[in-house]
Amino acid sequence: STGAQYINTGVSWDTNDLKFEGKYSYNQLNGHSSIFGTQGHSNNSNLILREESGTLRWWMSNTSTTITTVAVGQKINFDLEMKSSGTFSYNVSIDNNVPVTGTGVHGNIFDSNYIYLFDTQINGGTGSAAANTIKCSAKLYGFKITKNGTLVRNFIPAINPSGVAGLYDLVEGKFYTNSGTGSFTVSETYVDSYNIETATFNIPSPS
């Protein structure tokens, strides 16, 4: 994403056990760069992973935890888990270095809005959030969402047969296109293509 594109995952938060796994790198830092997130009808009902002034911060309800410092171009691997019972844990590594881990207790203010990728959904839509303050410019290598122990999204970057870049969900067998403005771009591709349900998708390299 250049900072103008985003994906609506179609997965809601609610009061569920959730696990997020993924790998990405920032193209630029703007102080509030959300790789994924949703904020409900209360400012306290947050579920956001974002960069804040050079640090990676995870917001859960009305609670947040600072994980580590981040910089442009670093490959960030994350494994985040939050329980409806009120506990959370994280495992984050930068450029495959020793992981930063932690546990804690989060707030109990939830909402039912959908989770966005490359953005934070606000009150059922993008709200009044400006593209350069909530959305982020980043390269995504993969993103998974597990809900109550069941994998519900397994996104990989892909180019569909029409040449449009987006994310393909291996769980649903569905191609997700940009919900924002402009177009996703792909800078790396495999030599081989990836066949899914008779359609051929070119997959960007995760290296």
Side-chain angles (χ1 to χ4, degrees), residues 178-189:
N178 171 36
S179 295
T181 60
S183 303
F184 285 116
T185 59
V186 177
S187 59
E188 308 166 71
T189 57

Side-chain angles (χ1 to χ4, degrees), residues 105-146:
V105 177
H106 63 77
N108 59 356
I109 303 173
F110 302 93
D111 212 289
S112 58
N113 288 339
Y114 288 137
I115 298 165
Y116 280 11
L117 265 170
F118 304 108
D119 193 8
T120 293
Q121 178 177 205
I122 298 177
N123 293 338
T126 53
S128 60
N132 64 348
T133 57
I134 298 297
K135 295 185 178 69
C136 77
S137 177
K139 181 186 293 184
L140 185 73
Y141 298 92
F143 182 72
K144 296 180 181 180
I145 304 176
T146 300

Side-chain angles (χ1 to χ4, degrees), residues 10-188:
V11 177
S12 59
W13 179 12
D14 304 315
T15 55
N16 296 286
D17 293 346
L18 289 171
K19 183 175 183 178
F20 304 95
E21 302 167 87
K23 181 178 181 180
Y24 74 102
S25 61
Y26 284 113
N27 297 326
Q28 65 183 47
L29 305 180
N30 62 33
H32 290 85
S33 306
S34 300
I35 190 62
F36 73 81
T38 180
Q39 183 183 83
H41 297 82
S42 163
N43 287 334
N44 290 322
S45 55
N46 301 294
L47 178 56
I48 307 167
L49 180 66
R50 70 186 186 189
E51 168 268 333
E52 294 185 16
S53 302
T55 63
L56 189 64
R57 180 168 291 206
W58 186 21
W59 286 86
M60 299 152 285
S61 295
N62 56 349
T63 309
S64 70
T65 183
T66 298
I67 298 174
T68 186
T69 58
V70 293
V72 170
Q74 292 178 328
K75 290 184 172 65
I76 303 167
N77 287 278
F78 62 88
D79 185 333
L80 315 174
E81 191 164 8
M82 59 183 298
K83 300 288 189 179
S84 58
S85 59
T87 61
F88 70 83
S89 63
Y90 60 83
N91 184 311
V92 177
S93 65
I94 307 294
D95 289 337
N96 294 318
N97 290 319
V98 177
V100 177
T101 60
T103 59
V105 177
H106 63 77
N108 59 356
I109 303 173
F110 302 93
D111 212 289
S112 58
N113 288 339
Y114 288 137
I115 298 165
Y116 280 11
L117 265 170
F118 304 108
D119 193 8
T120 293
Q121 178 177 205
I122 298 177
N123 293 338
T126 53
S128 60
N132 64 348
T133 57
I134 298 297
K135 295 185 178 69
C136 77
S137 177
K139 181 186 293 184
L140 185 73
Y141 298 92
F143 182 72
K144 296 180 181 180
I145 304 176
T146 300
K147 194 171 186 179
N148 294 327
T150 300
L151 182 65
V152 294
R153 295 290 184 274
N154 185 1
F155 288 116
I156 55 172
I159 304 170
N160 72 10
S162 299
V164 176
L167 296 179
Y168 190 88
D169 177 26
L170 296 171
V171 176
E172 301 173 290
K174 177 181 176 181
F175 187 71
Y176 282 72
T177 55
N178 171 36
S179 295
T181 60
S183 303
F184 285 116
T185 59
V186 177
S187 59
E188 308 166 71

